[in-house]
Each structure stands twice: as C-alpha cells, then as structure tokens.
Amino acid sequence: MKIKNKNRLGKLRFNFVLFLLMLALLIVGCVFVYSASFYSSALIYGDKFFFLKKQVLGIIVGFVGFFFFTFFDYKKLEKLRWVFLVASVILLILVFVPGIGMTNYGATRWINLKVTTLQPSEIAKFAFIVFSSSYLSKSAEKVKSFKGILPVLIVGALFCLLIIIEPNMSITICMALLVGVMMMFGGARLKHFLMLAVPAVLLGVVLIISAPYRLKRLVAFIDPFASSKNEGFQLVQSLLAVSLGGMFGSGIFNSRQKYLFLPFAESDFIFSIIAEEIGFVGSLFVITLFVLLFLVIMKVAKNADSKFGFLLAAGVGAIIIIQVMLNISVVTGLVPPTGLPLPFISAGSTSIMIFMSMLGVVQNVHRQSYKFY
Amino acid sequence: MAVKYSSYSMKKRLLALCVLVAFFVCGITARIFYLQVLNNDYYIKKGLTEWLRDLPLSANRGMITDRNGVVLASSHTTYDVYVKSADVEDAGSVSKVLAESLSLDYEDIYQKISKKSQSEIKIKTNIEKELVQQILKNYQSGICFTINTNRNYAYDEMLCQILGFVGSDNVGKTGIESFYNTYLAGSDGLKLVEADLKGTTLADSVTYYENPINGLNLTLTIDFKIQEIVENRLKQAMLETGAKSVSCMVTDPGSGEILAVCTLPSYNLNDIPRDDMSKLNLLSRAATITDTFEPGSTFKAIVTAIALEEGVTVKTDHFYCGGFRIINGVTIRCSRRTGHGSQSLEKGLMNSCNCVFMDLIQKIGLRKFYDYLNKLGFSGSLGIDFPGEVSAVLMPESLVTAPDLARMGFGQTISLSSLHMMVGVGSVINGGYVYQPHFIKDIHTETGQLIYSRSATIKENIFSPETSRIMREMMFSVVDKGGGRYAKVDGYNIIGGKTGTAQKYENNAIAEGKYIASFIGFAPIEKPKYLVYVTVDEPQGAYYGGIVAAPVAGDIFKQIFENDKDINENLLGNQNAKTIELDTLIGMTLTSAAGYLKEKGLDYLIQGNGDYVSSQIPAPGVMVSEGDIVLLKFE
C-alpha cells in the first residue's frame, strides 16, 4: 500500500490546511458581520457590537464542537445515527410547539432557548449526512436497486417535509440536493436519479405555485425594479451593493448599503456587503477560500479509511459548497431570493456551530486515515 | 486509494462533483465580474436616489424675450414653509430655527406647532430661496417646504397663443413653453445628504451640494414693437368689423423669421381660464399655424407665379372675362357679375378676376400644380418650431375634377393655414426661396453664454429671380392701382400685395353671408423685409378683403415704416396722384354709378343684390385719389 498524506506535520495527524481555511473564513465572517451590522445594531439594540458578540460566542461554542469531533471517533457516529435522526425530527417538530417555537418574518424556524435561538433545520442537515452515510456504506449492494435507496429517500423526504412547512424553502432545496449528492456517492444508479429528478422538479413547481409569496418573489426576481419597493426591494438593494463594490471595493467598513437598505445584511445577504466593501478582487478571494476548503475536504474523503468516513466527509464538503453557491447566486440575482446563510461567515450561531462541528468530523476522518502506517 | 470498499468508481463520482462545482463557481464569478466591473453603472444610477435624500432647490425656468431683449415671460420661485406636526421631534428647536430665520415670534410658532390637531401647519408663504437655505442649515425634523413657481407674462394677452403657458408642475403645456420646455426647464439642484432608508441623516455623512441649473433663456424672432403695433391695430379691427376673429402674421420673407403673430380674441396668460377647458382650448389655439381655411384670392399670387415660372403666360397676355367660365358643364362665376371684359395678366391680378386664374391653372395642369405645393411643403410639414403645425387640406390628386382645379386657381377647394400663405407668398416675392419658418433666434444661458443660434434655412428654390421680380411689380400695381389700394400708405410707395375674399364652408356647403376677408402684402418692393398677412373671419357688413383687411394691413405697414430707419432713409418722395372729392352715389343704379366712377378714374366693388346703391364706402365728401376703390352696397 502506498503511503499518502506524508507531509511534515504528518505525525500530528491534524489537517492544518483545513483548520487554517476555516479560521480564515471565520475571521472574514467576524469582520463583515461587524461591518454589516454596527449601524443597525446600534439603532435597534443600542450596541453596535451586538451581532459581533453573538457571532464570537457562536464561534467559541463552535470550537468546542470542532475539537470534540476532531477527537471523537467518527465510527461511533454510525451507532448514534438513530439518535441523531430522532433528535432532529423531534427538534423540527418542537418548532411548531407554541412557547418553544419562534416565529420571525412569517416563518417558524427557531427554537427559543432564552439566551439564544436554535435552528433545528441546520442540525437536520448534519443528522441526515450521518444517517445516509451509515446506511449507504452498509448496504453497498442493495443501493443498486431502487428499493435499496428508498430508506434514504424516505428520511430525506421527511426532513424536507418538516422544513418546508416551517416554511424554509432554501434549506429544503439544500436538503434535497444533499439527498442527491449522498445517493450519488453511495453508488446509486444514474437511471434512478433521472427517475427522481422529474417528480422533484414538478414538486418544486407545485410548491412555488402553492405559496403566493414564492410566486411574487419569482416575478420580482425576473424584474426586480418593477417592485423595487416591495418584493424586489431586497434584490435591488443587493445588486446595488454588489455593483457599488467595483473592482476593489469601497473599503472595509465603508459600505453604504448596510444603512438599513439591505435587509439581513449581516446574515443571508452578507456577501453583498463583502462585495461592496472589498470589490471583485475580495469576492474572488472569499470564493477561493471556499473552493480550497471544498477541495481539501474532498481529498480527505478520497483518502478515508472506510466508506462511512468517505461518505461523511464528502457529504460535509457537498453541503458547504451547495450552500455557498446558492447563497452567492441569490445575492447576485442568479436565482430567486431565499434566505440561506453563507457557511462560516453569516451571522447565526446555530449555523456556525454546526458547520464547525462538521469540520471537526472531517478532521477526525482525516486523522483515522493514518491508522495504517 | 487508501482502502477499497466498493466496486463502483468512487473516484469518478468525486471528479464529477468537482467538475460540476467548478462549472458553477465559474458562472458565479462571471456574474460578479459583470455586476462589479463590466456593468456597475447601471444599478448605481438606479440606487443613487435611494440613499441620498434631496432637499428642494428648484431651478428657475428660463426667460423668453423678443429679438431685442424685451422680456415676454419670466419666472420667480418662492417657497411656503410648513411644519408636519407628526415629524416634529423637538418643538422648541423647530420654533427657534423658524423664528430666527423668518423673523417671527417664537412663542407664536411654538403654540401653533404644539397643537397636534392639525397635521400640517402653515408658517409662512412665499419666502425666497435664500431663507430656505438658511433654514436648511439648521434643519430640524418636521419642517417642510412647498415650491411655488410663478410664471410671469409681462404683457398679459400679448402673444398668448404663441408663448403658451405652463402647468402647475411648471412644465410647458402649449406653444413655445411646450416646444422648448427642455431648454427652458433647466434642472433642479440637489442638496444630497446621505441618509439611511428611514431618512435619518447619517452622523458622519458627506453632503453633496449641487446648484440648480437654471433654464436657458430663449430669444425669439418676434419683434416686440411690431407685435405691439399688430395687437393694437387688430383690437381696433375687431371693433370696426364686428368679426368673429381677426389674425395677423408678420414675417421676414428673406429668412423665414416670424416677427409678429396675433389672433383675437385672446386671453390673459397671467389669468388663464383653467376652469373652462373648452374655452381655454379655443382661445389658446395658435390658429395661424394650427387651423386651415380657404384662402381665396390671395392664393392667386402663388398661382400666377407658378404660371409665369412654367412659361404658360407672360405679363402682357390678355384674358377675356364675361363674368363666368363654363368648365365641363359647370358654371363658375367671377366676383364681378358684369364681367371684367378683356384685360392683361397684370390687370387681371389687379381686378382679382377669377376667370384669368381659372385659365392659368388649367394651363399649368394638376400634376405640375401639386408638384409646386409639395415643394412648398404644404402637403407635409413646414418644419416650424411650434407644436401642432397643420398640413394643408388638399383633395387627393385622383379625385380632382376640372371644375375643382379651376376653383383652386382662385384659392377655393384648397385649405391652408396662414403660415402656408406666408411661406408660399414669401417664396413668390423673395426671389423664389422656400424658407423654413421659425420662432427661435437664439438660446443663451442665464449668464449670457450663447448655446444655440438659428440661421435661415432654405428648403427649396422654386421660382426664378425674374418670376419673382415680375410678381413684385404686379403685386405693387395691385396696391398702387388695383384691389389692394386701401393698404397703401401715404408717403411710402413701396407696398405690394393681394386681397382675398373667401366664402366659408360649413358642413360641406357654402355658409351664406360668412366670409374670410384677407390681405397679404409686402414691403419694400425691391428687397422685401416685411410680409404682412391679415385675415378677418366673419366680418359684419362689408366683407371684401380689399375693404376690410387691406386698411388694417396698411396701418400696420405705416407704423412699421415709421419705426424702420432704413426704409425712411431710402424713401423716394412719390406723391403725384390727383385727389378728388367723392360725390354721393346713393340711390343710383349700378350702371350709372359705374359710369360716374369710371369717368373719375375710380374703381369699384359691389356687395348685395339690390337695384340701387344703398350705401357707399368711403362716404360722400371724402377725398379720394385716382384709382381708389369705392364699395357700393345694394341692399
């Protein structure tokens, strides 16, 4: 057997590139969460560091998660898959229990923990990766039949259903894409994908038509300026922010669009502010960080010592890059607006904690790939 | 591979995902590059107004002056100050700022704005821009302004249909105000204060200040003095003739510049009857440009010039008039029932004998005739810088019968605007050039910098200088000894012209007793500087152009001459006509009256169908010159 991953830090069995990329993205996140939010937080909460403090708190908890999973044998997760699954479903249902669930902007997506809020749909993504990796690695032969992939599909569909009734279209889309990616890596046949793609697209159309606000958003997306005061407002403001950046940007902390023009500037639309303040060059830099992180994770996956490890790492890499691309596409008007955080950067403690913990798992997969030498 | 755990190619599927990701990343990057670098102006322009809150600094509308700088229209902007009680944060500082800036009583304002019952409290009206700026320096939430723009027309009714008026939004609605609105309007200034979406000014915001760019000043080709002469004389004509409407246009035939235009009745531009839309629409029509009518005999000048140019006649040709012509079985009468007998072309023009022109136009032929009308721009547009210019109403060529063509020879069965006549007759006498008529002379900035200067535009050259010279001579004879005698000005033997009397049509039939009397004349003969066209719509009593319109034009010419140095200097004393005292002709038959007048060397016109002369113009006892015309009424 050939020896791989023999770099000079090999003995430490710690993927520093992965860690440094995560750190870089978290720092970029802190800078821009502050820049995007100081005006509105000062106005609304009387503290211009309000969102930054929450973000730093999330990162601290995230580090705990990251290091815990770095040293937690990922193979034990396989046994815990039902725990994750059931816990996620319960949390997703709890959202709808009055007194526990929290409704914001017409959507019930959060669980109120008094000090902070928890978004179960973020946890559900992780739970799904663990569950499907476990199932798919054990049933390599079954997967070749349609019946064999049904458990993955059913669990995926259940999650999608619970998330879409919140409603949260964007995470549903992410979840659906994740189901597809997991099946692909699990070895499902291409013809099964095609069989599933048709009803999935049809379902998407039905969902859009069933909720008038989605249709309005779609129309607003086609011509945002026709409704620049209503549905198209967010997109118009985002496009304006991106345009204002130019090649080199208006300088860090100098964005204009954060002055209440751009709703969710510190969370879902943080990339607009990044683009405005550090321009095309800076945007390219941030995208490059994500692409490198994705490639590093894929390399870890490729070198994993078990199929379960491979699927886990590949799933984490996939969900990160899916969310990054969807988020930036929304901000730049390539797809209709949906609220989706930019991993590691957008304000939102649940998202930060979960993504950091997931990277911890990847780190552990990396560590275990050295076992044989 | 670290460990082999599957039969399918995991590597291939990993690669597939990476390719897919690479594809999407490239797409997204391209989109960002497009938004930020290639096309970033687009959204910035759209968004600019959203984050910069502007405060009122409206531009002054430009002035309109005559060719010598006499101001005809000007603007003055004032502001009203209000307080929106809902927006007041600190009533004390609002009152303080307003009291200091406007020299008002603090307590008074404070009490007013503390009453929450009213949503908007008026503080002071019609304050100047400087005071507004002073208040803005110490701006307090709750203070607001409204703009009053007052457009002032220095001479009320003068040129009302031409200047036009502006709407309450200060945008030109009609006339020059509308046509040149872009130039007159200027652009409002901005005081741009960076603000958030709710309009709260940002603490460390940069303030952009852009001065309003006031509108440009227009200099028209209108000559205030001539305009005044025309307006005054037309007012008098309205009283004398009891007409429904009178119009006059004066142009420089050598450039197409319009020197004066007036249509009565008019209205006061400073007190526009805005509540009566139908009345306003009627009064604000620039009828000389936007309405057509059958011009009648004045059109004969154009027909004669075409005939000469085409070589179908010469000045000395003779024509016989028996009082009518029969064309294709249709009898068309001459104005004089008894006929004019045999006469030369020149005499025919002086007598305004319809038979002569029926012959001429038939010799010219329909095709050629319509060609000339096209070259004159009658069928299309004359290209005047004025909204709503009308084109001539011409029968389609294929439908014109021989009698129709014959009638066109004396200006009926063809409908033109006054402006068409100005362009047409202008080209007859100016050496043959068709000029584009225009109102604008030049455009200046507020500080006097020249932006645009209009020069004469020749569109066609349709007559030779020789044809034009002959026409001027013959038209001189019309005024000197023919039907246009009442346009003559003592001491100035330099006017040529042609009269016209046209029956009006209503609902496709001749309207009994309704005429348009007109006179078109020019001076001086050698190199015409002024072309004057007077039309009198539905005069009461006398209706001949030579009687009703020619004297009006004569008086206008007289006053223009008195104000024109060049004409006075080049004046040749030419006073040798015999004068005689006119006897009474009342009670005579047509034959005996005609015999008497012929013996005295006088010409005559007949009106009415009675057997005996019931009245005469001029009245008995008046001194007349040889060749003058006497109007005999038989009623």
Side-chain angles (χ1 to χ4, degrees):
Chain A
M1 226 169 251
K2 275 194 291 177
I3 294 170
K4 287 218 166 189
N5 286 347
K6 186 148 179 75
N7 54 46
R8 59 196 172 85
L9 295 165
K11 277 180 188 166
L12 282 168
R13 294 193 298 171
F14 186 77
N15 194 328
F16 271 94
V17 183
L18 181 88
F19 181 75
L20 290 176
L21 284 169
M22 179 184 80
L23 213 58
L25 286 168
L26 290 171
I27 292 167
V28 169
C30 286
V31 170
F32 286 101
V33 163
Y34 173 70
S35 176
S37 70
F38 71 79
Y39 183 74
S40 52
S41 352
L43 211 69
I44 299 162
Y45 304 101
D47 174 9
K48 63 180 179 173
F49 298 109
F50 180 83
F51 277 105
L52 182 63
K53 281 177 184 166
K54 273 186 76 175
Q55 185 79 347
V56 170
L57 198 72
I59 288 170
I60 290 167
V61 178
F63 269 116
V64 173
F66 174 78
F67 285 111
F68 174 79
F69 282 104
T70 299
F71 298 103
F72 181 83
D73 181 3
Y74 78 87
K75 280 167 184 157
K76 287 180 186 158
L77 289 173
E78 207 170 348
K79 287 167 192 149
L80 293 171
R81 67 181 186 277
W82 291 108
V83 177
F84 278 106
L85 194 65
V86 172
S88 304
V89 172
I90 291 172
L91 283 173
L92 281 173
I93 293 170
L94 272 180
V95 164
F96 298 103
V97 176
I100 299 172
M102 239 174 78
T103 303
N104 267 331
Y105 319 105
T108 312
R109 299 175 182 173
W110 296 268
I111 289 177
N112 195 349
L113 299 177
K114 305 299 171 202
V115 278
T116 182
T117 57
L118 194 68
Q119 200 174 346
S121 51
E122 295 284 351
I123 298 170
K125 287 184 292 194
F126 184 46
F128 181 76
I129 293 172
V130 173
F131 175 81
S132 57
S133 300
S134 155
Y135 175 81
L136 291 166
S137 62
K138 277 188 197 162
S139 330
E141 284 311 308
K142 279 197 229 164
V143 169
K144 291 190 174 165
S145 69
F146 188 72
K147 221 167 112 186
I149 55 172
L150 270 180
V152 179
L153 280 179
I154 290 167
V155 171
L158 177 68
F159 277 158
C160 284
L161 182 74
L162 285 170
I163 297 168
I164 195 72
I165 56 178
E166 285 182 350
N168 193 337
M169 184 74 168
S170 42
I171 296 202
T172 310
I173 291 170
C174 278
M175 183 63 90
L177 289 171
L178 187 62
V179 172
V181 170
M182 291 313 290
M183 288 199 307
M184 182 175 107
F185 285 139
R189 292 191 154 181
L190 278 175
K191 65 172 182 184
H192 293 149
F193 277 105
L194 295 175
M195 275 167 59
L196 289 168
V198 177
V201 169
L202 283 178
L203 195 67
V205 173
V206 169
L207 282 173
I208 286 171
I209 296 170
S210 66
Y213 84 93
R214 290 197 189 110
L215 199 63
K216 272 188 183 171
R217 275 196 197 173
L218 198 66
V219 173
F221 164 69
I222 292 159
D223 181 14
F225 286 98
S227 55
S228 68
K229 294 274 183 274
N230 305 306
E231 281 79 26
F233 180 77
Q234 207 172 17
L235 184 54
V236 165
Q237 296 303 331
S238 175
L239 288 174
L240 176 58
V242 175
S243 300
L244 281 168
M247 184 60 100
F248 300 105
S250 57
I252 290 176
F253 304 135
N254 282 340
S255 96
R256 301 274 153 223
Q257 287 302 88
K258 64 188 166 220
Y259 293 108
L260 305 185
F261 288 110
L262 187 63
F264 306 108
E266 74 287 343
S267 59
D268 299 344
F269 279 85
I270 196 161
F271 193 80
S272 313
I273 302 294
I274 294 176
E276 188 185 346
E277 296 194 353
I278 56 178
F280 177 69
V281 172
S283 309
L284 203 60
F285 170 72
V286 173
I287 291 171
T288 307
L289 287 182
F290 278 116
V291 171
L292 286 177
L293 181 68
F294 171 71
L295 292 175
V296 168
I297 296 171
M298 286 302 149
K299 201 178 171 192
V300 170
K302 202 180 111 192
N303 296 325
D305 66 337
S306 71
K307 192 174 180 190
F308 178 59
F310 158 70
L311 286 168
L312 264 186
V316 170
I319 191 67
I320 290 172
I321 206 75
I322 286 170
Q323 245 180 270
V324 169
M325 291 193 304
L326 256 181
N327 179 282
I328 298 178
S329 300
V330 166
V331 164
T332 55
L334 284 173
V335 301
T338 61
L340 192 68
L342 190 61
F344 307 106
I345 292 184
S346 289
S349 29
T350 317
S351 167
I352 291 280
M353 289 183 301
I354 296 296
F355 275 112
M356 288 179 74
S357 301
M358 287 201 268
L359 282 192
V361 174
V362 174
Q363 191 66 267
N364 189 259
V365 174
H366 173 80
R367 284 167 56 78
Q368 299 216 26
S369 62
Y370 286 87
K371 265 184 184 170
F372 301 99
Y373 320 115
Chain B
M1 192 161 287
V3 68
K4 192 166 181 165
Y5 32 68
S6 182
S7 56
Y8 65 92
S9 174
M10 188 198 71
K11 228 178 179 177
K12 261 188 192 166
R13 295 204 170 184
L14 266 185
L15 196 67
L17 184 70
C18 289
V19 169
L20 211 63
V21 166
F23 175 77
F24 280 114
V25 166
C26 287
I28 289 168
T29 309
R31 170 69 174 172
I32 298 173
F33 187 71
Y34 173 78
L35 284 178
Q36 298 202 292
V37 183
L38 294 183
N39 193 29
N40 68 339
D41 283 6
Y42 178 73
Y43 292 109
I44 292 173
K45 273 182 196 144
K46 288 221 172 195
L48 208 73
T49 49
E50 306 232 339
W51 43 268
L52 297 170
R53 193 166 53 103
D54 61 317
L55 301 164
L57 284 167
S58 74
N60 258 335
R61 197 172 171 84
M63 288 195 300
I64 304 177
T65 65
D66 91 326
R67 62 190 304 126
N68 298 315
V70 178
V71 176
L72 302 171
S74 58
S75 272
H76 185 64
T77 306
T78 59
Y79 301 83
D80 293 350
V81 193
Y82 290 84
V83 170
K84 269 191 192 155
S85 54
D87 291 353
V88 173
E89 280 166 5
D90 179 355
S93 13
V94 170
S95 312
K96 187 164 167 261
V97 169
L98 292 178
E100 278 171 8
S101 308
L102 303 172
S103 336
L104 296 171
D105 184 48
Y106 172 86
E107 282 301 321
D108 214 36
I109 298 175
Y110 189 84
Q111 273 177 7
K112 262 195 205 168
I113 66 173
S114 300
K115 270 187 262 166
K116 293 278 175 186
S117 53
Q118 255 178 301
S119 68
E120 278 184 7
I121 303 122
K122 192 186 275 184
I123 303 297
K124 196 170 181 180
T125 55
N126 290 319
I127 65 165
E128 298 293 323
K129 193 186 272 181
E130 289 69 34
L131 283 177
V132 173
Q133 280 163 1
Q134 202 180 318
I135 295 171
L136 287 176
K137 269 184 210 155
N138 304 305
Y139 183 78
Q140 292 293 324
S141 176
I143 303 176
C144 57
F145 303 93
T146 57
I147 305 168
N148 311 311
T149 309
N150 305 310
R151 191 70 169 156
N152 241 313
Y153 299 92
Y155 302 95
D156 294 342
E157 287 97 2
M158 183 183 278
L159 271 171
C160 59
Q161 300 96 345
I162 300 306
L163 293 178
F165 53 84
V166 295
S168 53
D169 52 356
N170 215 18
V171 172
K173 293 279 179 237
T174 63
I176 296 285
E177 293 273 27
S178 160
F179 194 90
Y180 285 104
N181 187 59
T182 329
Y183 298 91
L184 288 165
S187 65
D188 286 351
L190 293 172
K191 185 181 179 192
L192 296 168
V193 180
E194 281 184 284
D196 67 21
L197 186 59
K198 289 174 182 153
T200 313
T201 307
L202 302 175
D204 57 348
S205 68
V206 193
T207 305
Y208 302 92
Y209 186 86
E210 202 180 303
N211 276 313
I213 300 166
N214 286 339
L216 300 170
N217 294 336
L218 304 187
T219 307
L220 302 184
T221 55
I222 295 289
D223 186 321
F224 173 75
K225 262 189 195 155
I226 298 177
Q227 181 69 28
E228 205 178 23
I229 291 166
V230 167
E231 301 236 352
N232 289 335
R233 186 59 187 86
L234 289 197
K235 272 177 204 161
Q236 195 188 326
M238 276 295 268
L239 295 174
E240 288 166 358
T241 61
K244 194 174 126 192
S245 162
V246 288
S247 289
C248 174
M249 203 177 220
V250 182
T251 63
D252 175 354
S255 67
E257 289 182 357
I258 295 164
L259 302 172
V261 201
C262 175
T263 299
L264 296 181
S266 57
Y267 65 103
N268 185 347
L269 281 172
N270 292 319
D271 185 16
I272 298 164
R274 288 186 201 267
D275 5 305
D276 189 347
M277 281 316 287
S278 57
K279 185 181 170 195
L280 181 59
N281 281 339
L282 190 73
L283 292 179
S284 62
R285 288 185 75 83
T288 45
I289 299 167
T290 62
D291 294 354
T292 63
F293 59 97
E294 297 198 345
S297 304
T298 46
F299 189 68
K300 289 169 181 167
I302 296 172
V303 173
T304 313
I306 297 172
L308 287 170
E309 186 68 22
E310 287 299 312
V312 301
T313 187
V314 290
K315 195 178 169 185
T316 49
D317 265 359
H318 272 72
F319 299 82
Y320 178 77
C321 167
F324 61 89
R325 282 274 189 285
I326 298 172
I327 294 160
N328 281 10
V330 180
T331 305
I332 303 174
R333 298 202 167 276
C334 184
S335 53
R336 184 185 286 183
R337 279 170 289 164
T338 50
H340 292 93
S342 177
Q343 57 199 329
S344 67
L345 177 64
E346 184 174 24
K347 200 83 175 124
L349 194 66
M350 285 162 67
N351 292 337
S352 197
C353 168
N354 289 350
C355 297
V356 174
F357 301 94
M358 290 192 244
D359 291 357
L360 287 183
I361 201 160
Q362 281 174 310
K363 283 185 190 162
I364 296 166
L366 179 62
R367 194 62 273 215
K368 278 257 164 59
F369 175 63
Y370 266 40
D371 275 354
Y372 273 91
L373 297 188
N374 281 338
K375 282 189 199 160
L376 282 164
F378 286 7
S379 47
S381 152
L382 299 172
I384 192 172
D385 48 350
F386 195 84
E389 179 201 328
V390 75
S391 20
V393 182
L394 302 174
M395 285 177 77
E397 212 175 308
S398 55
L399 299 181
V400 177
T401 63
D404 290 331
L405 182 64
R407 287 193 191 95
M408 286 182 203
F410 52 90
Q412 303 248 294
T413 328
I414 175 172
S415 198
L416 304 173
S417 69
S418 295
L419 191 66
H420 287 125
M421 289 300 296
M422 295 308 272
V423 172
V425 175
S427 70
V428 168
I429 57 154
N430 70 8
Y433 300 102
V434 180
Y435 283 97
Q436 194 167 37
H438 58 273
F439 279 112
I440 197 74
K441 193 167 165 61
D442 42 47
I443 301 178
H444 287 90
T445 63
E446 198 184 8
T447 50
Q449 192 196 339
L450 185 67
I451 298 291
Y452 170 81
S453 183
R454 174 71 191 248
S455 49
T457 315
I458 296 172
K459 286 165 69 189
E460 287 280 350
N461 181 1
I462 60 170
F463 301 119
S464 68
E466 181 57 14
T467 300
S468 192
R469 190 187 58 77
I470 297 169
M471 285 307 300
R472 291 198 299 269
E473 274 177 21
M474 292 201 296
M475 288 173 79
F476 171 72
S477 301
V478 172
V479 174
D480 194 41
K481 306 181 283 238
R485 281 202 66 109
Y486 284 117
K488 225 170 161 179
V489 177
D490 284 344
Y492 299 90
N493 228 355
I494 51 169
I495 302 172
K498 182 71 195 80
T499 60
T501 311
Q503 286 175 311
K504 283 182 82 172
Y505 281 78
E506 275 173 7
N507 309 320
N508 289 326
I510 291 175
E512 208 51 56
K514 289 186 177 176
Y515 295 87
I516 292 181
S518 61
F519 177 84
I520 190 159
F522 61 93
I525 298 298
E526 284 315 310
K527 200 173 183 316
K529 275 177 80 175
Y530 304 104
L531 180 62
V532 176
Y533 186 34
V534 174
T535 54
V536 181
D537 189 5
E538 293 183 25
Q540 304 296 307
Y543 56 75
Y544 279 108
I547 305 291
V548 178
V552 176
D555 287 348
I556 290 169
F557 270 125
K558 183 170 184 255
Q559 291 178 69
I560 291 174
F561 294 161
E562 282 165 359
N563 284 300
D564 188 314
K565 255 196 205 160
D566 295 344
I567 285 179
N568 283 313
E569 278 168 12
N570 296 328
L571 193 63
L572 301 164
N574 195 357
Q575 284 289 339
N576 49 13
K578 266 199 286 176
T579 56
I580 42 169
E581 192 181 333
L582 192 64
D583 288 328
T584 181
L585 303 168
I586 293 166
M588 287 186 180
T589 60
L590 174 55
T591 333
S592 52
Y596 166 83
L597 291 168
K598 201 170 180 183
E599 185 190 312
K600 297 281 181 191
L602 295 167
D603 207 343
Y604 63 93
L605 288 165
I606 309 154
Q607 184 173 321
N609 293 314
D611 294 328
Y612 303 100
V613 178
S614 56
S615 63
Q616 67 181 80
I617 295 173
V622 170
M623 297 300 289
V624 290
S625 311
E626 203 175 328
D628 275 3
I629 312 156
V630 177
L631 175 70
L632 302 174
K633 284 191 181 176
F634 294 85
E635 272 154 9

